[in-house]
Amino acid sequence: MTNASTSASNDTVTVLHTNDVHGRMVEDDRNGVIGDALLSGIVNDSRSKGTTLVFDSGDSFQGLPISNSSKGEDMASVMNAVGFDAMTVGNHEFDFGLDQLRRLSKQINFPIITSNVYVDGVRLFQPSTIVDKTPGVDGDEVVVIGVTTPETATKTHPRNIPGVSFTDPITEVKAVVDQVESNARAEGKEYKTYVVLSHLGIDTTTPVEWRGSTLAEALSNYAPLKGKRVLVLDGHSHTLHTATYGDNVTYNQTGSYLNNVGRVVYNSDRVLSHGVISHDEAKKNYQVNPTVKAMIDDIQAKYKADSSKVVIENSPVKLSGDRMDVRVRETNLGNVVADALLDYGQSAFTHKSNLAVTMVVVFVKQLPKTNQSLKVISLPFFHLVTQLLKFK
C-alpha cells in the first residue's frame, strides 16, 4: 500500500517503522508475521541503497511467551541487532514494571523517548532525540519526538506505574517543538524534518484529544512547523492506516504483530511515498538476515528448553484442560484460571474485581422450518455460574 511514486534522487531518505509488534520476533507465515530476521533483511537492503531511518512506535517488548519469558530483554537484544534508531513508549512497555522498563532502556543501544510521561513530576525519558546520519552535513538532521497514550493509566496494572502520570499529548509535543526550534535558532541551525513516534492510535473509544489523527491534524496547523516535513508514525490501535494532513503532515500506522513494515520515502522537496511493506511483499522481495535468524533460533531454543522443565513430577492432581471438557462443563483448570483472574483484580485497582469470567458457553439452535425463530439453549444456570463466576 503506497501513495505517489519513488525517486532515485541521491537525497532520498527512507523511513522504515514498526508498531505494536508485541514480541513477534519469530517469522510466522501462517499468521502473516514478518519476524525480525526478515525485518533486518529489509533494513539492510534499504541501507545498502541509501539513507535509512528505523523507528518503533511502542508495544514491542511484551506480547508472546517467547518475549515475556525474559521480560522483554531478548526482544531488546533482537531490536539492537536490527538497528533501530529510536522508539517510543507504549502502554505495554510498563507491563513488566517501571524498574524493568528502565533496565530495558539501558539495554537497548538506541534512544527510547516520550514527551508526556512523568515519574514524580520528572520526565521518565528524554522527550526527543536528533538523528544525524551524515555528521558534518547541515540541514538533513531529523528531530524525533516521542509521545505515549494517557490511556496507559488504565491499560496496564496500577502497580506497574507507581508515581507515573501522563500529560496531554498535543500540548507536550508542541512544547518540545517550541524548545527544539528555540535551541536551533540559538545555534544557527534549521531543522526541516520532524518525526513523531506516537503511541496514541485512532480508536473511536479513545478520547478525541488523545488520538494520533488529532495530533497529526494539530501539527499540520501549528505555525512553527509550517514549511517543514512532519511524519506521525502511530501505534496503539493496531490499525493499518495512512493519511495526509494539510500540506506537510504524513500519518502512517502499520497494523500490528509485524504483519507489515511501514515505509515512508522523501527527498528534499516532498514525501514521495507512504504506506507499508506487506508480509507477502517482504517474503517475495527480501532475504532473511542469517545473523539475526541465528540469534532468534538460539532464543527460541532456550525458551523451549526453559518452558519444558518439569515443575512437579507425577502430580497427584490432573488439571483438566481438554477442549471437550472445558467447553461443556466445570473443570478444575477453569476454576484455577477464574480464581487467578479474580485474585489479580484485588490488588492496586481503585475498584476491586467482584467476579471473574473465563468462558461463556451458549448454544444456538434453529427450530424446524415451521418455526424459523432461534432458540438459545444455555447450560443449566447453576452449572454455568459455577463454571464462569468466582465470587469472594
Side-chain angles (χ1 to χ4, degrees):
M1 181 177 71
T2 58
N3 298 325
S5 58
T6 57
S7 168
S9 172
N10 58 11
D11 68 348
T12 296
V13 175
T14 299
V15 175
L16 300 174
H17 65 98
T18 57
N19 62 270
D20 299 282
V21 171
H22 286 291
R24 266 69 175 182
M25 67 177 77
V26 179
E27 186 175 340
D28 179 0
D29 291 339
R30 186 178 66 176
N31 293 305
V33 177
I34 291 172
D36 279 304
L38 186 52
L39 170 62
S40 181
I42 296 170
V43 170
N44 290 349
D45 179 81
S46 183
R47 284 178 171 158
S48 72
K49 296 174 180 176
T51 303
T52 301
L53 309 175
V54 186
F55 300 119
D56 181 82
S57 293
D59 280 5
S60 276
F61 299 128
Q62 175 271 7
L64 288 183
I66 193 171
S67 58
N68 295 358
S69 60
S70 65
K71 296 184 178 180
E73 293 182 9
D74 286 336
M75 192 69 197
S77 297
V78 171
M79 293 179 74
N80 283 341
V82 171
F84 281 81
D85 290 296
M87 72 175 291
T88 196
V89 179
N91 52 297
H92 287 292
E93 257 69 64
F94 291 94
D95 284 1
F96 306 122
L98 185 58
D99 290 341
Q100 179 64 8
L101 176 55
R102 286 179 167 134
R103 279 191 287 270
L104 291 170
S105 74
K106 293 179 173 62
Q107 183 177 346
I108 57 176
N109 54 24
F110 51 90
I112 182 168
I113 56 175
T114 183
S115 58
N116 67 322
V117 180
Y118 291 79
V119 180
D120 298 327
V122 179
R123 276 192 174 118
L124 174 59
F125 298 119
Q126 290 297 311
S128 64
T129 188
I130 295 175
V131 178
D132 186 2
K133 290 295 185 179
T134 55
V137 177
D138 292 333
D140 64 346
E141 301 90 347
V142 176
V143 179
V144 188
I145 302 171
V147 63
T148 301
T149 177
E151 290 183 320
T152 304
T154 57
K155 290 194 172 182
T156 189
H157 196 287
R159 68 184 173 212
N160 296 331
I161 47 175
V164 180
S165 58
F166 304 86
T167 54
D168 180 68
I170 294 175
T171 300
E172 291 285 8
V173 171
K174 285 182 175 180
V176 176
V177 169
D178 291 345
Q179 186 62 59
V180 169
E181 287 294 299
S182 177
N183 293 345
R185 288 192 297 271
E187 297 170 7
K189 295 181 177 179
E190 181 183 6
Y191 297 122
K192 301 176 181 177
T193 304
Y194 278 77
V195 174
V196 181
L197 304 181
S198 70
H199 195 82
L200 298 176
I202 55 176
D203 275 338
T204 56
T205 56
T206 297
V208 173
E209 64 272 21
W210 292 351
R211 295 178 195 172
S213 52
T214 307
L215 172 66
E217 184 173 5
L219 296 181
S220 73
N221 295 312
Y222 195 49
L225 294 174
K226 288 296 182 183
K228 299 180 186 294
R229 179 186 302 106
V230 182
L231 310 181
V232 175
L233 309 180
D234 201 14
H236 186 50
S237 59
H238 294 203
T239 313
L240 179 58
H241 186 65
T242 188
T244 56
Y245 293 83
D247 58 5
N248 67 326
V249 177
T250 300
Y251 175 99
N252 227 36
Q253 189 180 166
T254 73
S256 61
Y257 304 150
L258 206 49
N259 293 144
N260 305 289
V261 177
R263 177 171 57 190
V264 181
V265 182
Y266 66 84
N267 63 14
S268 58
D269 297 325
R270 60 193 176 93
V271 171
L272 301 170
S273 65
H274 52 103
V276 299
I277 301 170
S278 68
H279 168 265
D280 290 346
E281 183 182 350
K283 292 285 290 183
K284 180 179 179 180
N285 298 317
Y286 299 95
Q287 300 295 317
V288 163
N289 181 335
T291 302
V292 176
K293 185 178 186 306
M295 172 186 284
I296 294 172
D297 287 345
D298 288 344
I299 292 171
Q300 200 169 18
K302 179 178 178 296
Y303 164 70
K304 288 180 177 179
D306 289 344
S307 60
S308 299
K309 291 179 180 177
V310 176
V311 179
I312 300 176
E313 191 170 358
N314 298 322
S315 171
V317 178
K318 177 184 176 182
L319 292 175
S320 177
D322 185 86
R323 177 182 175 88
M324 297 309 296
D325 287 333
V326 297
R327 290 183 67 87
V328 298
R329 61 178 60 87
E330 179 181 6
T331 68
N332 57 359
L333 181 58
N335 289 339
V336 167
V337 172
D339 287 342
L341 288 171
L342 185 61
D343 183 69
Y344 182 79
Q346 302 309 301
S347 60
F349 292 102
T350 303
H351 302 289
K352 294 181 180 181
S353 300
N354 294 316
L355 59 88
V357 178
T358 59
M359 185 185 300
V360 175
V361 181
V362 176
F363 300 100
V364 179
K365 179 180 178 181
Q366 186 170 349
L367 297 179
K369 291 183 179 180
T370 54
N371 185 349
Q372 291 297 320
S373 63
L374 295 180
K375 179 181 180 182
V376 177
I377 304 174
S378 60
L379 298 178
F381 179 77
F382 177 77
H383 175 78
L384 183 62
V385 169
T386 57
Q387 180 183 6
L388 304 182
L389 308 178
K390 294 296 176 181
F391 289 92
K392 270 289 188 186

